[in-house]
PDB file of all heavy atoms in Angstrom:
ATOM      1  N   LEU A   7       4.434  21.383   6.571  1.00 93.00           N
ATOM      2  CA  LEU A   7       3.311  22.327   6.544  1.00 93.00           C
ATOM      3  C   LEU A   7       2.055  21.662   5.997  1.00 93.00           C
ATOM      4  O   LEU A   7       0.946  21.858   6.530  1.00 93.00           O
ATOM      5  CB  LEU A   7       3.678  23.547   5.703  1.00 93.00           C
ATOM      6  CG  LEU A   7       4.686  24.528   6.304  1.00 93.00           C
ATOM      7  CD1 LEU A   7       5.024  25.633   5.303  1.00 93.00           C
ATOM      8  CD2 LEU A   7       4.147  25.136   7.601  1.00 93.00           C
ATOM      9  N   ALA A   8       2.201  20.870   4.929  1.00 92.00           N
ATOM     10  CA  ALA A   8       1.050  20.166   4.361  1.00 92.00           C
ATOM     11  C   ALA A   8       0.464  19.181   5.366  1.00 92.00           C
ATOM     12  O   ALA A   8      -0.760  19.081   5.513  1.00 92.00           O
ATOM     13  CB  ALA A   8       1.463  19.436   3.083  1.00 92.00           C
ATOM     14  N   PHE A   9       1.347  18.469   6.069  1.00 92.00           N
ATOM     15  CA  PHE A   9       0.875  17.494   7.050  1.00 92.00           C
ATOM     16  C   PHE A   9       0.073  18.168   8.162  1.00 92.00           C
ATOM     17  O   PHE A   9      -1.039  17.733   8.510  1.00 92.00           O
ATOM     18  CB  PHE A   9       2.080  16.755   7.637  1.00 92.00           C
ATOM     19  CG  PHE A   9       1.727  15.803   8.746  1.00 92.00           C
ATOM     20  CD1 PHE A   9       0.858  14.748   8.532  1.00 92.00           C
ATOM     21  CD2 PHE A   9       2.271  15.958  10.018  1.00 92.00           C
ATOM     22  CE1 PHE A   9       0.530  13.861   9.554  1.00 92.00           C
ATOM     23  CE2 PHE A   9       1.951  15.090  11.037  1.00 92.00           C
ATOM     24  CZ  PHE A   9       1.083  14.043  10.806  1.00 92.00           C
ATOM     25  N   VAL A  10       0.600  19.251   8.711  1.00 93.00           N
ATOM     26  CA  VAL A  10      -0.096  19.966   9.789  1.00 93.00           C
ATOM     27  C   VAL A  10      -1.415  20.538   9.280  1.00 93.00           C
ATOM     28  O   VAL A  10      -2.457  20.432   9.947  1.00 93.00           O
ATOM     29  CB  VAL A  10       0.802  21.076  10.357  1.00 93.00           C
ATOM     30  CG1 VAL A  10       0.020  21.941  11.343  1.00 93.00           C
ATOM     31  CG2 VAL A  10       2.022  20.479  11.054  1.00 93.00           C
ATOM     32  N   GLY A  11      -1.400  21.130   8.085  1.00 94.00           N
ATOM     33  CA  GLY A  11      -2.625  21.712   7.540  1.00 94.00           C
ATOM     34  C   GLY A  11      -3.705  20.680   7.284  1.00 94.00           C
ATOM     35  O   GLY A  11      -4.884  20.889   7.595  1.00 94.00           O
ATOM     36  N   LEU A  12      -3.314  19.543   6.706  1.00 93.00           N
ATOM     37  CA  LEU A  12      -4.291  18.490   6.424  1.00 93.00           C
ATOM     38  C   LEU A  12      -4.842  17.887   7.706  1.00 93.00           C
ATOM     39  O   LEU A  12      -6.046  17.594   7.813  1.00 93.00           O
ATOM     40  CB  LEU A  12      -3.640  17.401   5.570  1.00 93.00           C
ATOM     41  CG  LEU A  12      -3.373  17.773   4.116  1.00 93.00           C
ATOM     42  CD1 LEU A  12      -2.427  16.771   3.470  1.00 93.00           C
ATOM     43  CD2 LEU A  12      -4.688  17.824   3.333  1.00 93.00           C
ATOM     44  N   LEU A  13      -3.959  17.717   8.695  1.00 91.00           N
ATOM     45  CA  LEU A  13      -4.403  17.161   9.968  1.00 91.00           C
ATOM     46  C   LEU A  13      -5.394  18.093  10.649  1.00 91.00           C
ATOM     47  O   LEU A  13      -6.421  17.645  11.188  1.00 91.00           O
ATOM     48  CB  LEU A  13      -3.185  16.919  10.867  1.00 91.00           C
ATOM     49  CG  LEU A  13      -3.220  15.701  11.801  1.00 91.00           C
ATOM     50  CD1 LEU A  13      -3.539  14.428  11.036  1.00 91.00           C
ATOM     51  CD2 LEU A  13      -1.903  15.577  12.545  1.00 91.00           C
ATOM     52  N   ALA A  14      -5.112  19.394  10.611  1.00 93.00           N
ATOM     53  CA  ALA A  14      -6.024  20.375  11.202  1.00 93.00           C
ATOM     54  C   ALA A  14      -7.359  20.381  10.462  1.00 93.00           C
ATOM     55  O   ALA A  14      -8.431  20.483  11.089  1.00 93.00           O
ATOM     56  CB  ALA A  14      -5.381  21.760  11.170  1.00 93.00           C
ATOM     57  N   SER A  15      -7.323  20.257   9.143  1.00 92.00           N
ATOM     58  CA  SER A  15      -8.560  20.230   8.365  1.00 92.00           C
ATOM     59  C   SER A  15      -9.405  19.007   8.707  1.00 92.00           C
ATOM     60  O   SER A  15     -10.632  19.104   8.874  1.00 92.00           O
ATOM     61  CB  SER A  15      -8.236  20.234   6.867  1.00 92.00           C
ATOM     62  OG  SER A  15      -7.517  21.385   6.500  1.00 92.00           O
ATOM     63  N   CYS A  16      -8.749  17.841   8.811  1.00 89.00           N
ATOM     64  CA  CYS A  16      -9.471  16.611   9.178  1.00 89.00           C
ATOM     65  C   CYS A  16     -10.110  16.744  10.547  1.00 89.00           C
ATOM     66  O   CYS A  16     -11.284  16.384  10.742  1.00 89.00           O
ATOM     67  CB  CYS A  16      -8.524  15.420   9.169  1.00 89.00           C
ATOM     68  SG  CYS A  16      -7.922  14.949   7.544  1.00 89.00           S
ATOM     69  N   LEU A  17      -9.336  17.272  11.500  1.00 89.00           N
ATOM     70  CA  LEU A  17      -9.855  17.424  12.859  1.00 89.00           C
ATOM     71  C   LEU A  17     -11.041  18.380  12.884  1.00 89.00           C
ATOM     72  O   LEU A  17     -12.059  18.116  13.526  1.00 89.00           O
ATOM     73  CB  LEU A  17      -8.737  17.925  13.775  1.00 89.00           C
ATOM     74  CG  LEU A  17      -9.058  18.010  15.272  1.00 89.00           C
ATOM     75  CD1 LEU A  17      -9.429  16.628  15.806  1.00 89.00           C
ATOM     76  CD2 LEU A  17      -7.868  18.579  16.041  1.00 89.00           C
ATOM     77  N   GLY A  18     -10.924  19.493  12.150  1.00 88.00           N
ATOM     78  CA  GLY A  18     -12.019  20.459  12.104  1.00 88.00           C
ATOM     79  C   GLY A  18     -13.278  19.880  11.498  1.00 88.00           C
ATOM     80  O   GLY A  18     -14.384  20.083  12.018  1.00 88.00           O
ATOM     81  N   LEU A  19     -13.125  19.127  10.402  1.00 86.00           N
ATOM     82  CA  LEU A  19     -14.294  18.529   9.760  1.00 86.00           C
ATOM     83  C   LEU A  19     -14.962  17.487  10.649  1.00 86.00           C
ATOM     84  O   LEU A  19     -16.197  17.426  10.740  1.00 86.00           O
ATOM     85  CB  LEU A  19     -13.885  17.885   8.431  1.00 86.00           C
ATOM     86  CG  LEU A  19     -13.699  18.818   7.233  1.00 86.00           C
ATOM     87  CD1 LEU A  19     -13.236  18.022   6.028  1.00 86.00           C
ATOM     88  CD2 LEU A  19     -14.987  19.558   6.900  1.00 86.00           C
TER      89      LEU A  19
END
Side-chain angles (χ1 to χ4, degrees):
L7 288 176
F9 175 60
V10 172
L12 287 166
L13 215 53
S15 300
C16 292
L17 186 60
L19 281 177

